[in-house]
């Protein structure tokens, strides 16, 4: 299973093509649209979110809400294109000057991308923009719907934003709170402190990053592999997470805390229940050992840096005159941590679905469900 995306931040549309989906998977367009809309929400979002009202258009590979086995083609329209058509048109008569960027912004792909491709910064930032993640959410949500058909659940919450870390105990009550929280946190008092910190950042012209956690529940043991480095599931998940704009770190289970403990405090003891099979007494490994799922929930955390566009911009260089100037300001968010959580949930869904189809290849959903159910019964019997 694979996909490609195309499109610029201010171009006509974002496009995605997904290949390798089994036939007979029911695709809910409203579920994809809901995920796209959740990606646009959250405190601290910028003016672009008031312009775009993202919805997916499915143009191939689905008939009567069922995948046909052919490639699935998706589009998400950029409503802001109406304001940028003269600047971003693929036609010969293009306005090169009105939105030209000559001062690369620190923390962005601007400078290195311009040097690498020997091109104007506008061409770099248009594709490097996090606007690209709208299509990755749409693609990933299709994978998420496939996993849901197999009883696999993906959920996430915000661990921290900036210096504020709300309380968290992984209880059902906290998860219910996450579902209605603007910040995707389970602590109401912590949410109040997050709003206070956001207002301080706005007044200071600053931006905020954070820590996000994704959990994948009801996975069978044995997804991924230890036999080659590029088949290890934690490696694939880490690469996928770090490919999302602004992500600078990823950890599983205890993560970096494991390096500060004795081995007896880190590794998960193994138990056995007749009729249920093997299990771990704890889950410090975050559900992955030796590059494979071990039957416990996969738990990973990602570190998101603050948005690099600042309203009190940092020093940079005018690439034409080589003089020191202040960085340019593209319309931007102060904080996009809750929105990034939506992106990560769907990016992780894609990698998990790939691992499922690698172990259980099937041309149809009926075939896939049957072989996954048989494997679950096998694990219980061992």
């Amino acid at each position: 299973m694979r996909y490609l995306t195309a499109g610029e931040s201010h171009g006509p549309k974002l496009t995605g093509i997904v290949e390798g989906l089994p036939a007979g998977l029911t695709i809910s367009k409203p579920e994809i649209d809901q995920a796209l809309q959740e990606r646009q929400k959250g405190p601290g979002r910028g003016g672009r979110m008031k312009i775009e009202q993202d919805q997916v258009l499915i143009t191939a590979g689905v008939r009567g809400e069922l995948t046909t086995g052919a490639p699935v083609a998706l589009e998400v329209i950029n409503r802001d294109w109406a304001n940028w058509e003269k600047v971003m048109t693929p036609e010969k008569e293009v306005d090169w000057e009105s939105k030209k960027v000559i001062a690369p912004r620190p923390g962005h792909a601007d400078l290195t991308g311009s040097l690498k491709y020997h091109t104007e910064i506008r061409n770099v930032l248009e594709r490097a923009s996090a606007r690209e993640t709208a299509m990755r959410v749409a693609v990933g949500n299709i994978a998420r719907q496939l996993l849901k058909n197999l009883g696999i659940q993906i959920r996430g919450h915000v661990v921290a934003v900036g210096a504020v870390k709300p309380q968290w105990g992984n209880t059902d009550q906290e998860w219910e709170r996450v579902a209605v929280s603007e910040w995707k946190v389970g602590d109401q008092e912590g949410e109040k402190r997050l709003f206070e910190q956001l207002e301080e950042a706005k007044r200071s012209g600053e931006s905020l990053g954070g820590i996000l956690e994704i959990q994948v529940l009801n996975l069978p043991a044995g997804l991924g592999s230890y036999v080659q480095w590029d088949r290890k599931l934690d490696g694939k998940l880490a690469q996928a997470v770090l490919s999302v704009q602004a992500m600078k770190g990823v950890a599983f289970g205890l993560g970096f805390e494991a390096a500060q403990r004795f081995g007896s405090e880190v590794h998960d003891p193994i138990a056995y229940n007749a009729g249920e099979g093997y299990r771990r007494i704890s889950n410090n490994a975050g559900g992955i050992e030796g590059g494979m799922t071990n039957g416990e929930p996969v738990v990973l955390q990602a570190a998101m840096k603050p948005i690099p566009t600042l309203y009190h911009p940092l020093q940079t260089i005018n690439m034409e005159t080589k003089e020191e100037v202040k960085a340019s300001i593209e319309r931007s968010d102060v904080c996009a941590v809750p929105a990034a959580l939506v992106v990560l949930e769907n990016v992780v869904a894609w990698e998990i679905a790939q691992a499922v189809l690698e172990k259980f290849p099937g041309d149809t959903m009926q075939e896939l469900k049957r072989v996954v159910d048989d494997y679950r019964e096998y694990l219980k019997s061992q």
Side-chain angles (χ1 to χ4, degrees):
M1 192 168 67
R2 58 181 179 168
Y3 75 93
L4 286 173
T5 73
E8 285 73 44
S9 180
H10 297 100
K13 65 183 71 172
L14 302 172
T15 303
I17 297 180
V18 183
E19 184 184 38
L21 288 168
L25 170 63
T26 300
I27 300 296
S28 169
K29 180 184 181 302
E31 284 190 32
I32 301 174
D33 289 342
Q34 182 179 359
L36 289 170
Q37 289 152 22
E38 286 295 317
R39 174 194 165 276
Q40 294 185 281
K41 294 179 181 179
R45 299 309 305 275
R48 180 72 185 271
M49 297 306 107
K50 297 176 182 177
I51 297 173
E52 304 298 347
Q53 296 179 4
D54 289 343
Q55 292 187 336
V56 72
L57 178 63
I58 303 173
T59 61
V62 177
R63 185 182 182 203
E65 293 191 329
L66 296 172
T67 55
T68 65
V72 173
L74 309 172
E75 293 181 354
V76 175
I77 301 299
N78 287 331
R79 295 181 67 191
D80 208 13
W81 162 250
N83 302 315
W84 286 76
E85 186 170 356
K86 292 182 179 179
V87 176
M88 294 301 298
T89 178
E91 305 297 331
K92 184 177 181 180
E93 299 302 323
V94 61
D95 180 356
W96 294 102
E97 296 299 324
S98 64
K99 296 290 185 178
K100 188 176 182 180
V101 180
I102 57 176
R105 300 161 299 166
H108 281 276
D110 295 1
L111 177 58
T112 305
S114 176
L115 296 172
K116 175 179 173 66
Y117 291 104
H118 195 58
T119 189
E120 186 207 337
I121 290 173
R122 168 62 54 195
N123 291 336
V124 178
L125 65 86
E126 284 291 330
R127 182 58 183 168
S129 166
R131 177 67 184 152
E132 174 259 354
T133 62
M135 182 50 67
R136 278 205 272 176
V137 166
V139 168
N141 190 262
I142 290 177
R144 193 170 186 173
Q145 292 184 41
L146 182 151
L147 295 173
K148 186 165 67 172
N149 272 269
L150 302 175
I152 298 169
Q153 178 189 359
I154 296 178
R155 62 186 184 181
H157 72 101
V158 170
V159 176
V161 177
V164 177
K165 185 176 183 179
Q167 291 185 350
W168 181 254
N170 202 41
T171 65
D172 291 342
Q173 292 78 9
E174 286 171 321
W175 281 110
E176 290 172 4
R177 177 69 192 165
V178 168
V180 297
S181 166
E182 289 187 74
W183 286 98
K184 303 299 181 186
V185 297
D187 171 23
Q188 199 164 5
E189 285 301 314
E191 194 166 33
K192 292 178 182 177
R193 289 186 284 125
L194 289 173
F195 276 112
E196 292 169 359
Q197 180 182 235
L198 177 64
E199 291 305 312
E200 180 183 349
K202 287 180 179 178
R203 287 192 298 268
S204 305
E206 284 287 356
S207 60
L208 293 164
I211 300 173
L212 312 94
E213 180 172 289
I214 307 296
Q215 298 183 6
V216 189
L217 311 181
N218 201 28
L219 286 170
L223 301 183
S225 179
Y226 61 88
V227 301
Q228 290 288 355
W229 65 271
D230 59 347
R231 294 182 61 192
K232 294 185 177 184
L233 183 58
D234 44 358
K236 289 184 174 183
L237 285 167
Q239 194 277 331
V241 167
L242 292 176
S243 76
V244 175
Q245 289 84 341
M247 298 301 152
K248 300 299 287 185
V250 62
F252 294 85
L254 285 177
F256 289 96
E257 187 180 336
Q260 301 171 321
R261 296 189 181 188
F262 290 115
S264 61
E265 300 172 311
V266 171
H267 303 297
D268 303 308
I270 298 173
Y272 177 82
N273 291 340
E276 296 181 9
Y278 297 100
R279 64 181 179 86
R280 303 303 190 278
I281 294 175
S282 55
N283 192 25
N284 294 331
I288 298 181
E289 293 173 310
M292 302 169 292
T293 55
N294 63 13
E296 300 299 322
V298 167
V299 180
L300 67 85
Q301 292 190 351
M304 179 183 184
K305 70 179 182 180
I307 301 294
T309 296
L310 303 175
Y311 286 97
H312 286 305
L314 298 174
Q315 173 191 308
T316 186
I317 299 295
N318 181 310
M319 294 184 72
E320 294 181 350
T321 67
K322 303 301 186 288
E323 295 176 337
E324 291 184 3
V325 294
K326 293 295 184 181
S328 60
I329 301 174
E330 291 280 317
R331 184 170 50 211
S332 182
D333 304 324
V334 175
C335 178
V337 175
L341 184 69
V342 178
V343 177
L344 288 188
E345 286 176 353
N346 289 284
V347 165
V348 166
W350 175 268
E351 292 301 323
I352 297 293
Q354 270 201 319
V356 168
L357 291 176
E358 181 183 74
K359 178 160 180 58
F360 308 108
D363 293 321
T364 69
M365 279 303 296
Q366 184 180 19
E367 183 182 351
L368 179 61
K369 285 181 180 179
R370 183 171 62 249
V371 70
V372 170
D373 288 343
D374 288 347
Y375 182 71
R376 290 186 191 276
E377 290 303 314
Y378 156 77
L379 291 175
K380 289 178 183 179
S381 69
Q382 296 305 296

